Amino acid sequence: MVKIAVDAMGGDNAPGEIVAGAVMAAQSREDIQIFLIGKEEVVSEELKKHTYKKEQIEVVNATEVIETEEPPVNAIRTKKDSSIVVGMNMVRRGEADAFCSAGSSGAILVGGQVIVGRIKGVERPPLAPLIPTEKGVSLLIDCGANVDARPSHLVQFAKMGSIYMEHVVGIKNPRVAIVNIGAEEEKGNALVKETFPLLKECKDINFIGSIEAREIPHGGADVIVSEAFVGNVILKLYEGVGATLISMVKQGMMTSLRSKIGALLVKPALKTTLKAFDASQYGGAPLLGLKGLVVKTHGNSKRIEVCNSILQCVTFKEQAINEKIKESL
Amino acid sequence: MVKIAVDAMGGDNAPGEIVAGAVMAAQSREDIQIFLIGKEEVVSEELKKHTYKKEQIEVVNATEVIETEEPPVNAIRTKKDSSIVVGMNMVRRGEADAFCSAGSSGAILVGGQVIVGRIKGVERPPLAPLIPTEKGVSLLIDCGANVDARPSHLVQFAKMGSIYMEHVVGIKNPRVAIVNIGAEEEKGNALVKETFPLLKECKDINFIGSIEAREIPHGGADVIVSEAFVGNVILKLYEGVGATLISMVKQGMMTSLRSKIGALLVKPALKTTLKAFDASQYGGAPLLGLKGLVVKTHGNSKRIEVCNSILQCVTFKEQAINEKIKESL
């Protein structure tokens, strides 16, 4: 039985889509138990709309909610009865194997470190979202709050990312690359130059060298290693360029009668294509290296992404990822 | 009379498109003189295909060519008779006001510093390409070779970028922002946190604060300040995501007969839209802060971009940008 705590109050579509996603996950597998954390009366009311096995879903009352704009350190410290703090405490005490939330990124990153805590030996826990590429998905590690990283951090990110990609996402012998401004070993800033030879020495990863940002969307590597500032820029620019281009394509197709008619005809095919390239579709980004698992689900996630995030947690537990991480250190 | 040295041998479409672009520029304005630098017989042969005023275009012989894959420092040192070294020496000696090249970026960055030299007081010369946005273009400064920048460098980049954007591109009181991973002043890595208050104090720029990468394609600022590693990642990811999405849109439209017919109808409108979002269209990126001007034109530039780069140099000279930069320091 895998036990998963789910923040029923976090994200743009809470609690409706979160509760619906939890029910979907419970319906799809009998061996999971879900704790829906949030204001009891609100969450129970939502749950009534669904049919599910009572023993699989339990509501855990949490009277407070951390808003996205709240300063995270303070929010975690003061809102002891918020869904994020209550859920993370369940993971810390071993009452849940994992915690999923579409709520405040900052609070999740802070809470993961101070409440759940790091695996012994892990220097910093990275946030590792999956990003879409031409060939499927790649893991971008780190996009979290670890600014001004050191080479040893990046080496750990590479190892943890590689384990996750192989055993949770199912990519055999994943190609690991470090983000750089040129393909040659001597290129880059001080951090990359120091990290490069360390990654080359790692026997347990399939390090393929540097990757230029241009090659990321083409699927040039499975695990994209970078410090958090650059990772964050990559993640957000991905979203920004994608959104802008899609809106320009739509506008472009509305410029003449001819193209308007064409637009009607291409619309269904285009919708499928563009959905595949929407970073938010991949939902859950794990915060790796913690005693337990914390997954940050995209703020605008709908039920299907919430369900996928929960099922990701199951694979994480089944594949004993944290044990593999401990061995790799 | 503005005198511009043009590398006739650099870029994917040299010498044909470079020579054609130089002729276009000469035809459009009588007050410019162009020196086409390269293998004399090759360049003269190309020139014969065009009609132009003989006094406006002169071929300057340079027997060597620096290839893009050559290590730049060594290439600049040993290939004294290459088009890049000959052209930059003309700027150094004051025989030309500017030098344009679509050749090796590395060699142009190195040559700019060691041959042309920095304006007194400029700590590092940034490379500042224009990138397309929903609203027009923004200047991304720095995308050059200055890794591990210091706060004082970024402040100079902001000032130089602001001057360029106002007087060459024609944006009144350009909005200057620093790339960051959140909008708040306390966010960011050490470099950004140190630079932020310095930019806030600058009286001569219109500093609007942090910009998240997501907002760049929406045109959230006119001058986007960042150190070169991050700038380079932004520039290349822009190209990569754009190229990938466009190819996926094309593929998506080929999936059914219905969408194929639609594709034929939307094609012309879409082509115009997507061209507007192609970073290479904006051709010339100035290397600012040098005694003279060096412009790096995109490697795959065609005649129109080459011509635009040359005309950019004219505006640069007419607007006395270097004098304005000196005053700002």
Side-chain angles (χ1 to χ4, degrees):
Chain A
M1 206 71 167
V2 184
K3 293 173 179 176
I4 296 153
V6 176
D7 177 2
M9 311 307 284
D12 307 340
N13 307 308
E17 291 294 317
I18 311 291
V19 170
V23 170
M24 264 176 95
Q27 284 166 343
S28 76
R29 291 188 65 144
E30 294 211 328
D31 58 350
I32 56 179
Q33 191 181 1
I34 294 170
F35 301 100
L36 277 172
I37 320 210
K39 293 181 180 164
E40 195 162 18
E41 65 281 23
V42 180
V43 181
S44 298
E45 202 55 39
E46 274 299 323
L47 256 180
K48 279 186 196 153
K49 300 179 187 165
H50 304 274
T51 320
Y52 61 95
K53 289 197 184 141
K54 301 291 169 213
E55 64 273 23
Q56 272 194 286
I57 303 184
E58 186 180 315
V59 178
V60 174
N61 191 34
T63 57
E64 293 175 297
V65 175
I66 295 176
E67 306 295 341
T68 39
E69 58 279 6
E70 284 183 68
V73 175
N74 195 49
I76 289 293
R77 199 177 293 152
T78 58
K79 290 194 167 171
K80 295 288 180 208
D81 202 36
S82 62
S83 49
I84 291 179
V85 174
V86 170
M88 288 196 172
N89 270 320
M90 289 181 73
V91 176
R92 184 179 59 79
R93 290 193 300 260
E95 293 160 21
D97 299 299
F99 174 65
C100 283
S101 174
S104 157
S105 301
I108 294 165
L109 292 170
V110 171
Q113 294 215 50
V114 306
I115 301 174
V116 178
R118 283 170 288 147
I119 290 172
K120 203 175 168 232
V122 169
E123 298 178 67
R124 290 181 174 193
L127 184 72
L130 288 169
I131 54 170
T133 72
E134 258 176 45
K135 293 177 186 161
V137 289
S138 299
L139 192 77
L140 182 60
I141 186 167
D142 173 28
C143 294
N146 307 310
V147 290
D148 301 312
R150 288 197 294 270
S152 61
H153 304 154
L154 266 57
V155 171
Q156 289 197 340
F157 297 168
K159 287 178 180 176
M160 291 193 271
S162 191
I163 291 167
Y164 188 87
M165 213 49 193
E166 175 137 13
H167 300 286
V168 177
V169 184
I171 307 286
K172 284 276 153 272
N173 199 25
R175 298 160 300 154
V176 178
I178 186 165
V179 176
N180 204 352
I181 58 172
E184 306 82 8
E185 187 168 346
E186 66 274 14
K187 284 245 181 157
N189 55 15
L191 176 65
V192 171
K193 281 185 194 163
E194 277 181 61
T195 308
F196 197 103
L198 301 178
L199 289 173
K200 243 172 109 176
E201 277 167 24
C202 272
K203 294 276 174 293
D204 39 1
I205 59 167
N206 174 19
F207 181 57
I208 60 165
S210 291
I211 187 165
E212 284 199 83
R214 190 192 285 118
E215 298 307 316
I216 297 175
H218 296 315
D222 302 306
V223 178
I224 318 274
V225 177
S226 108
E227 55 84 27
F229 192 95
V230 170
N232 210 292
V233 165
I234 292 172
L235 185 68
K236 287 178 179 163
L237 193 62
Y238 233 85
E239 287 183 26
V241 173
T244 298
L245 257 177
I246 290 164
S247 101
M248 286 177 74
V249 163
K250 282 179 187 164
Q251 271 176 41
M253 293 196 298
M254 291 298 129
T255 48
S256 68
L257 180 61
R258 174 187 160 141
S259 62
K260 276 182 195 168
I261 297 167
L264 284 175
L265 296 171
V266 297
K267 207 177 158 190
L270 221 52
K271 217 173 157 179
T272 316
T273 311
L274 296 178
K275 206 176 159 92
F277 208 75
D278 177 357
S280 73
Q281 293 305 310
Y282 297 93
L287 186 56
L288 295 171
L290 298 180
K291 297 177 202 150
L293 175 62
V294 170
V295 170
K296 162 75 182 107
T297 309
H298 205 283
N300 65 12
S301 295
K302 295 266 173 81
R303 63 190 68 189
I304 178 78
E305 289 89 41
V306 173
C307 171
N308 285 340
S309 286
I310 295 171
L311 297 177
Q312 232 178 349
C313 294
V314 179
T315 314
F316 193 93
K317 168 79 178 170
E318 283 177 346
Q319 292 289 329
I321 299 303
N322 277 355
E323 287 65 36
K324 291 190 172 86
I325 287 176
K326 275 177 211 158
E327 283 164 23
S328 80
L329 298 174
Chain B
M1 206 72 167
V2 184
K3 294 174 179 176
I4 296 152
V6 176
D7 177 2
M9 311 307 284
D12 307 340
N13 307 309
E17 291 294 318
I18 311 291
V19 170
V23 170
M24 264 175 93
Q27 283 167 344
S28 75
R29 292 187 64 142
E30 293 211 328
D31 57 350
I32 57 179
Q33 190 181 2
I34 293 169
F35 301 100
L36 277 172
I37 321 209
K39 294 180 180 163
E40 195 161 18
E41 66 282 23
V42 179
V43 181
S44 299
E45 200 57 38
E46 274 297 325
L47 256 180
K48 280 187 196 154
K49 300 177 187 166
H50 302 276
T51 320
Y52 61 95
K53 289 196 185 141
K54 300 293 169 213
E55 65 274 21
Q56 271 194 285
I57 302 183
E58 186 180 315
V59 178
V60 174
N61 192 33
T63 56
E64 293 174 296
V65 175
I66 295 177
E67 307 294 341
T68 38
E69 59 278 5
E70 283 183 69
V73 176
N74 195 51
I76 289 293
R77 198 176 294 153
T78 58
K79 290 194 166 172
K80 296 288 179 208
D81 203 35
S82 61
S83 49
I84 291 179
V85 174
V86 170
M88 288 197 173
N89 271 320
M90 289 181 72
V91 176
R92 184 179 59 80
R93 290 192 300 258
E95 294 161 20
D97 299 299
F99 174 65
C100 282
S101 173
S104 158
S105 301
I108 293 164
L109 292 170
V110 171
Q113 294 214 49
V114 306
I115 301 174
V116 178
R118 284 171 287 147
I119 290 173
K120 201 172 170 236
V122 169
E123 298 178 68
R124 290 181 173 193
L127 184 72
L130 287 170
I131 54 170
T133 73
E134 259 175 43
K135 294 177 186 160
V137 288
S138 299
L139 191 77
L140 183 59
I141 186 168
D142 174 28
C143 294
N146 305 310
V147 291
D148 302 312
R150 287 197 295 269
S152 60
H153 303 154
L154 266 57
V155 171
Q156 289 196 340
F157 298 169
K159 288 178 181 176
M160 291 193 271
S162 191
I163 291 167
Y164 188 86
M165 213 48 193
E166 175 136 15
H167 301 285
V168 177
V169 184
I171 307 286
K172 284 278 152 272
N173 199 25
R175 298 160 302 155
V176 178
I178 186 164
V179 177
N180 204 350
I181 56 172
E184 306 82 8
E185 186 167 347
E186 67 275 12
K187 285 246 180 155
N189 55 16
L191 176 65
V192 171
K193 281 184 196 165
E194 277 180 63
T195 309
F196 196 104
L198 302 178
L199 289 173
K200 244 172 108 175
E201 277 166 26
C202 272
K203 295 275 175 291
D204 39 0
I205 59 167
N206 174 18
F207 181 58
I208 60 164
S210 292
I211 186 166
E212 284 200 84
R214 191 192 283 118
E215 298 307 316
I216 298 174
H218 296 316
D222 302 305
V223 178
I224 317 273
V225 177
S226 107
E227 55 85 27
F229 193 94
V230 170
N232 209 292
V233 164
I234 293 172
L235 185 69
K236 288 179 178 163
L237 194 62
Y238 233 86
E239 286 183 26
V241 173
T244 298
L245 257 178
I246 291 163
S247 102
M248 286 177 75
V249 163
K250 283 181 186 163
Q251 270 177 39
M253 293 196 298
M254 290 298 128
T255 49
S256 69
L257 181 61
R258 175 186 160 144
S259 63
K260 277 182 195 167
I261 297 167
L264 285 176
L265 296 171
V266 297
K267 207 176 159 189
L270 222 50
K271 217 174 158 179
T272 316
T273 311
L274 296 177
K275 205 175 159 94
F277 209 74
D278 177 357
S280 72
Q281 293 304 310
Y282 298 92
L287 186 56
L288 294 172
L290 299 180
K291 296 177 203 152
L293 175 62
V294 170
V295 170
K296 162 74 182 106
T297 308
H298 205 283
N300 65 14
S301 295
K302 296 265 173 81
R303 61 190 69 188
I304 178 78
E305 290 88 42
V306 173
C307 170
N308 285 341
S309 286
I310 295 170
L311 297 178
Q312 232 177 350
C313 295
V314 178
T315 314
F316 192 93
K317 168 81 177 168
E318 283 178 345
Q319 292 289 329
I321 299 302
N322 278 354
E323 286 66 34
K324 292 189 171 84
I325 287 176
K326 275 177 212 159
E327 283 164 25
S328 81
L329 298 174

